[in-house]
């Protein structure tokens, strides 16, 4: 977890599946509890994201308050494609790079 100005950035790597989704959820909840202006979940280091990982993203969006905007960094077939297939690319704020997510507004 990295903090920069009003943002908390979570760099996720490896596989996000049934075995690891709870760990990701705990880190996301911790970040959201800090009530920063922005939480960025960077998935560019992820090699696989399953339905359990996608569910964590949905729950994170639901937990974000009016004080915190949730942004997801995803690109390519491994991370962006599952978001597109499920329609989460429309429900979430998705950006191709961490810099784009941090500088958006």
């Amino acid at each position: 977890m990295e903090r920069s100005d009003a943002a908390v950035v979570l760099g996720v790597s490896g596989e996000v599946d049934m075995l690891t989704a709870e760990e990701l959820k705990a880190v996301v909840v911790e970040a959201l509890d800090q009530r920063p202006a922005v939480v960025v979940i960077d998935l560019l280091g992820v090699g696989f994201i399953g339905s359990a990982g996608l569910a964590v993203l949905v729950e994170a969006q639901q937990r974000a308050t009016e004080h915190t905007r949730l942004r997801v960094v995803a690109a390519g077939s491994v991370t962006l494609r599952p978001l597109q297939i499920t329609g989460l690319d429309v429900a979430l704020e998705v950006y191709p790079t961490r810099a784009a997510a941090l500088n958006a507004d």
Side-chain angles (χ1 to χ4, degrees), residues 9-94:
V9 179
L10 308 174
V12 184
S13 61
E15 296 183 353
V16 184
D17 55 20
M18 288 178 21
L19 297 175
T20 60
E22 283 300 314
E23 183 180 342
L24 175 59
K25 179 181 173 181
V27 174
V28 170
V29 167
E30 180 183 342
L32 290 170
D33 285 348
Q34 295 178 27
R35 294 181 61 159
V38 176
V39 171
V40 175
I41 302 174
D42 185 344
L43 300 175
L44 294 182
V46 171
F48 171 81
I49 186 164
S51 59
L54 297 176
V56 170
L57 298 178
V58 170
E59 186 174 337
Q61 178 65 32
Q62 292 169 345
R63 290 181 89 107
T65 67
E66 67 268 5
H67 304 289
T68 303
R69 295 191 59 186
L70 181 72
R71 297 178 180 160
V72 177
V73 179
S77 62
V78 173
T79 56
L80 181 59
R81 189 71 182 133
L83 296 176
Q84 291 171 329
I85 290 169
T86 59
L88 290 176
D89 64 320
V90 176
L92 302 170
E93 290 186 51
V94 180

